[in-house]
Amino acid sequence: MSAHCQLTGRKPGFGNAISHSHRRTRRRFDPNIQRKRYWLPSEGRHVRLTLSAKGVKTVDSIGIEQAVARIRARGEKI
C-alpha cells in the first residue's frame, strides 16, 4: 500500500535522522494512513478509501459524496 492519501494528497516527507553523535542518515516521515470503508448512497455500494487521519476528519465534515467527488475530480478512479 503506498503511503499517500486519496483525498488530501499527503505523501511521505523525507529528512534526516540525527543520532546522539550528530551523524545524519536519511529517513522517511510517513503520514498516518488508514483504510476506511464508506457507504456511498448515490451508487448503492461501499467504497474503500486510503485516507490520512486528516482525510478521515475531512470526510466526516464534508460528507462522503462530496469527498468522492473531489477524488474523482483529480482523475482518480474509485
Side-chain angles (χ1 to χ4, degrees), residues 10-29:
R10 289 185 177 223
K11 293 187 268 192
F14 295 89
N16 289 310
I18 302 180
S19 70
H20 179 70
S21 64
H22 223 64
R23 291 178 60 107
R24 291 172 167 87
T25 54
R26 296 300 286 178
R27 62 160 292 181
R28 181 173 144 145
F29 295 90

Side-chain angles (χ1 to χ4, degrees), residues 45-75:
R45 68 183 184 106
H46 286 96
V47 291
R48 191 175 297 275
L49 300 176
T50 305
L51 300 171
S52 62
K54 181 168 177 135
V56 172
K57 291 178 189 176
T58 303
V59 170
D60 290 343
S61 67
I62 68 173
I64 186 62
E65 297 288 345
Q66 193 174 354
V68 166
R70 281 189 193 180
I71 293 169
R72 286 183 173 149
R74 276 212 323 263

Side-chain angles (χ1 to χ4, degrees), residues 1-41:
M1 171 170 72
S2 69
H4 85 281
C5 177
Q6 289 180 298
L7 182 59
T8 62
R10 289 185 177 223
K11 293 187 268 192
F14 295 89
N16 289 310
I18 302 180
S19 70
H20 179 70
S21 64
H22 223 64
R23 291 178 60 107
R24 291 172 167 87
T25 54
R26 296 300 286 178
R27 62 160 292 181
R28 181 173 144 145
F29 295 90
D30 284 328
N32 183 5
I33 297 294
Q34 310 292 326
R35 296 258 302 156
K36 293 280 288 180
R37 186 171 169 246
Y38 291 100
W39 174 252
L40 196 57

